[in-house]
Amino acid sequence: MDWWRRLKKNPLARFGAILLLIFYLAVIAADFVAPYDPYVSQPNGSLLPPTKIYWGSQSGQFIGPHVYPTTQGNTNLETGDRKLIVDFTKPSPLRLFVSGPEYRLFQVSFPLPPSWDEVTVIPGIPLNWHLFGTTGTAKFNLLGTDDQGRDQFSRLVHGGRISMFIGIFGVAISFPLGLLIGGISGYFGGVTDTIIMRLAEVLMTFPSIYLLVTLGAVLPAGLSSTQRFLLIVIITSIIGWAGLSRVIRGQVLSIKEREFVQAARAMGGNPLYIILRHVLPQTATYIVISATLAVPSFIGAEAILSLIGLGIQQPDPSWGNMLSLASNASILVLQPWLIWPPAVLIILTVLAFNLLGDGLRDALDPRSLRR
């Protein structure tokens, strides 16, 4: 396990891995981490800025961290600013592990093909505990609220489930296809290689954005936004194996001439077994780097698709459709708290994947393994 020791010694790779671990744990347990239901609006609570935390009473006495009930007042027609109405007579203490809306931890629901109308639900653990919150009537909106009065932090954590897992889902489909098809093309060569590579070139000529728009138009109208987006990801992943297969094919052309592959062939090894057991493992370094770069690309694609109306749509949250509010100039100026949290999370996630990928590349480098 020399590669594992080298990976742990890389501080940047370790930072990326820890950051991704925190993000994935947070979105998996989103119901516990989020203080409120991401779909429930607060009365008179639209477009509230992040809640201010107070430590002392109005008389100056220290009483610990607390917040006060806050609602929106009238809007200044000249500046667009909204006056906040704060009720200083009802302090609500901030606490960790407070009771709140009931939920089922680790509950999973997913549509089933071929109709995609039937939904299978894996029941979770019924709980009503949340990581943090208030014990009074006031709401603690860590990142403010959106135009519907929904807690922005709760929507951000729940939206991360789609944004964080959609890349892994896409890579899990496209990479095995690209590996196997590219390996077969490079190993057998001849007519097989020519047919597969010509097909790959045809698929690579499809403009991705036009393909996505076309798919969005022909999919059934009754699908939910999540089902629609999953279908688009499945279809594009099946088509997206072409670029990877061309690179794998080029590597296999040189690997199949090495002594250990020739020996396995001379001993009567099955071609498919030789490809899977001896040839494709030699491409592990490239696959790791490509996978860590492909996952962030799916996250960016989700943001673009949500912006043009093909991804996750309201009221379902995702980092993409939360970031799409940036197209409104007034929100950028008056409510910046709606924009920078999803933007920062997307940037940090992409950075973490890239740092981890660079660390894995260095750790799995065959030259460093020999040393």
Side-chain angles (χ1 to χ4, degrees), residues 116 166 169-170 173 208-209 211-219 223-240 298 301-302 305-306 308-312:
W116 299 91
I166 204 67
F169 185 64
I173 297 174
S208 58
I209 188 65
L211 175 62
L212 293 174
V213 171
T214 303
L215 289 174
V218 300
L219 289 178
L223 296 177
S224 67
S225 61
T226 304
Q227 293 172 340
R228 174 181 292 266
F229 188 67
L230 285 177
L231 277 177
I232 291 176
V233 170
I234 291 173
I235 296 172
T236 52
S237 298
I238 293 175
I239 297 175
F298 274 95
E302 186 271 324
L305 289 174
S306 297
I308 63 177
L310 295 177
I312 305 300

Side-chain angles (χ1 to χ4, degrees), residues 243-256:
L244 177 64
S245 67
R246 285 182 61 85
V247 178
I248 296 300
R249 176 251 187 188
Q251 295 187 0
V252 170
L253 285 174
S254 62
I255 294 173
K256 72 176 184 178

Side-chain angles (χ1 to χ4, degrees), residues 79-135:
T79 64
D81 294 332
R82 293 193 176 194
K83 181 181 179 181
L84 296 180
I85 301 175
V86 183
D87 186 356
F88 289 105
T89 63
K90 299 177 181 179
S92 297
L94 284 175
R95 296 289 185 267
L96 293 174
F97 307 110
V98 299
S99 60
E102 188 173 340
Y103 59 90
R104 287 187 172 272
L105 188 64
F106 305 130
Q107 177 173 299
V108 178
S109 60
F110 51 89
L112 293 176
S115 66
W116 299 91
D117 294 328
E118 299 180 6
V119 177
T120 295
V121 178
I122 300 177
I125 305 171
L127 293 173
N128 66 346
W129 287 97
H130 296 263
L131 180 61
F132 64 91
T134 63
T135 57

